[in-house]
Amino acid sequence: MHTTVGIIGGGPAGLLLARLLHRAGVDSVVLESRDRAYVERRQRAGILEQGTVDVLRSVGAGARLDREGLVHDGIELRFDGRAHRLDFPALTGGRRVTVYAQTEVVKDLVALQLAEGGPLLFEAEVHAVDGADTDRPAIRYTHEGREQTLTCDYVVGCDGFHGIARTAVPEHLRTTYERTYPYSWLGILAEAPPVYDELIYAHSPRGFALASMRTPAVSRLYLQVPNGTDPADWPDERVWDELDARFALDSAPGWRLKRGPVTQKAVLPMRSWVTEPMRHGRLFLAGDAAHIVPPTGAKGLNLAVADVVVLARALAHRAGTGSDELLEAYSDTCLRRVWRAEHFSYAMTTTLHADPAQSPFDTRLQLAQLERIATSPHAAAELADNYTGLPMG
């Protein structure tokens, strides 16, 4: 089998790229190692930048998003026993974010791809990418018990940090930049209505906490915990008590979250990671295959979307003009936005979390920065601009 673009990975990046290419008249094949049920229930990000929402609408994946997504006009910062709200539209000229789980984005894109797109093969395990630096790269994979080969004009790795695509870039040509953090997140899903209409980010002497949501009836909540934490050491009541303590306000001593059954509990490590370049020959990396951000800034899914928007534009330009100009610029174009997002996510993470080794001086610096955001329109606008999303390419 031959196709113009072979896409490894049927997550949001791979599926959206296939959709963008389909609308540009460029054929593709998507290979996903997991089954459809697994892909459609993978819990990941839930905050969509304004630009991401606009792109999903433009490819026909906006109907359910517009019907069920929760539009947010800001976030609340809690620190030093106080609360401060950032008004995104006022600070950005009208941009917002939308809460709509990645699982739902994937369901919408899978349905579109199966209905009118090119081949989408589930349980297709990729073993290798051959000839990335030639004009006819090939993807070797197993599907329905048979070893098969997909030849392509271009290969795109949307298969995440643990995927195979990145290994097709020779090690001596790759440079990796990485930072690991001395804490993790304990995340829960709970059948409990959110206590607030928008996300709450809390800086506390006890550690960071985040109150988010999936729907008006389901809360998504996080606690900073030490690396290596076992979720079993955090029974539900302990989680709720600790969340209440970290969100406490001096002006509302009785403030409490709404409690309900906890349906999911997991510990999420925190890391920042980038590999450069994001292109080798006719192989292109996108999303988590090329970069990872700590979740504090809500950038992971949105960065993946920006990557494939840039790449789809470049591939369509190649098909229409024969020019490789945009393809050759792909890595540099994406990395400019990636490093801006890495910096923003790092700043949010280190400002809001309590490092086990930090001194009282470090804590005062964190509080000074949070106070600056709360009192300086320029600082608030910078945070809002990054949070709601920088231009894509």
Side-chain angles (χ1 to χ4, degrees):
M1 182 165 55
H2 179 81
T3 189
T4 302
V5 182
I7 301 170
I8 307 173
L15 292 167
L16 179 58
L17 176 60
R19 184 67 183 163
L20 289 163
L21 293 175
H22 173 74
R23 292 175 71 87
V26 179
D27 61 290
S28 68
V29 174
V30 181
L31 305 174
E32 166 56 45
S33 63
R34 302 283 192 164
D35 62 39
R36 180 177 179 179
Y38 180 91
V39 170
E40 292 186 339
R41 67 171 181 264
R42 244 180 331 211
Q43 291 292 334
R44 291 291 189 273
I47 306 295
L48 307 184
E49 295 174 356
Q50 181 72 63
T52 296
V53 171
D54 294 342
V55 169
L56 290 170
R57 288 173 178 155
S58 75
V59 300
R64 200 161 64 93
L65 165 61
D66 287 334
R67 188 169 63 250
E68 300 178 13
L70 306 176
V71 177
H72 284 191
D73 285 342
I75 59 173
E76 182 175 285
L77 297 176
R78 293 193 178 186
F79 61 96
D80 202 24
R82 295 175 287 141
H84 178 79
R85 181 179 179 272
L86 296 178
D87 184 331
F88 288 162
L91 292 164
T92 65
R95 297 205 307 276
R96 298 167 165 84
V97 297
T98 300
V99 175
Y100 189 67
Q102 177 173 311
T103 50
E104 307 310 311
V105 173
V106 168
K107 289 175 188 175
D108 296 340
L109 291 172
V110 166
L112 285 169
Q113 184 72 8
L114 294 177
E116 55 186 71
L120 165 56
L121 305 183
F122 292 105
E123 299 181 87
E125 184 178 358
V126 173
H127 305 297
V129 176
D130 298 326
D133 55 353
T134 71
D135 61 1
R136 186 57 66 93
I139 304 172
R140 290 189 284 113
Y141 67 100
T142 300
H143 184 242
E144 296 180 341
R146 295 173 48 236
E147 292 192 9
Q148 303 187 49
T149 299
L150 175 66
T151 58
C152 322
D153 295 336
Y154 304 95
V155 176
V156 183
C158 300
D159 51 345
F161 178 78
H162 297 290
I164 197 74
R166 190 174 66 258
T167 64
V169 182
E171 191 171 351
H172 71 279
L173 297 179
R174 282 186 270 138
T175 302
T176 298
Y177 303 90
E178 184 174 17
R179 177 182 291 274
T180 56
Y181 296 86
Y183 34 72
S184 300
W185 278 8
L186 174 67
I188 67 166
L189 271 177
E191 294 178 357
V195 74
Y196 190 59
D197 290 340
E198 296 169 343
L199 273 65
I200 307 173
Y201 287 79
H203 174 284
S204 161
R206 306 172 69 98
F208 169 77
L210 171 62
S212 182
M213 67 282 294
R214 283 292 178 262
T215 72
V218 177
S219 291
R220 183 70 160 153
L221 300 140
Y222 299 95
L223 283 172
Q224 176 187 340
V225 294
N227 288 340
T229 291
D230 183 347
D233 293 336
W234 283 81
D236 296 356
E237 204 66 20
R238 182 186 178 194
V239 173
W240 289 114
D241 289 346
E242 188 64 23
L243 285 165
D244 283 340
R246 296 188 191 186
F247 287 119
L249 293 171
D250 292 345
S251 60
W255 192 95
R256 295 289 184 272
L257 292 163
K258 297 173 183 176
R259 302 189 178 193
V262 175
T263 58
Q264 185 184 101
K265 191 182 299 179
V267 171
L268 315 172
M270 307 278 283
R271 71 188 312 181
S272 299
W273 176 87
V274 181
T275 187
E276 296 184 8
M278 292 172 58
R279 175 199 176 201
H280 172 62
R282 293 196 171 206
L283 168 67
F284 299 83
L285 303 178
D288 285 359
H291 42 72
I292 292 174
V293 289
T296 325
K299 296 292 110 185
L301 171 60
N302 296 292
L303 272 181
V305 168
D307 290 347
V308 300
V309 166
V310 171
L311 184 53
R313 186 184 303 137
L315 288 165
H317 181 74
R318 175 66 173 81
T321 68
S323 170
D324 287 331
E325 178 184 6
L326 297 186
L327 287 173
E328 291 172 354
Y330 168 75
S331 183
D332 289 341
T333 300
C334 289
L335 284 169
R336 281 193 293 271
R337 193 180 198 273
V338 165
W339 279 111
R340 287 281 300 276
E342 290 283 355
H343 179 266
F344 173 68
S345 299
Y346 169 81
M348 287 281 285
T349 301
T350 55
T351 298
L352 289 164
H353 290 71
D355 189 314
Q358 79 183 39
S359 68
F361 181 86
D362 299 323
T363 301
R364 293 296 295 171
L365 288 178
Q366 291 177 320
L367 292 171
Q369 174 61 9
L370 290 166
E371 185 69 26
R372 176 173 175 265
I373 293 167
T375 58
S376 164
H378 299 292
E382 183 178 14
L383 189 155
D385 194 43
N386 281 275
Y387 198 99
T388 57
L390 301 171
M392 295 187 180

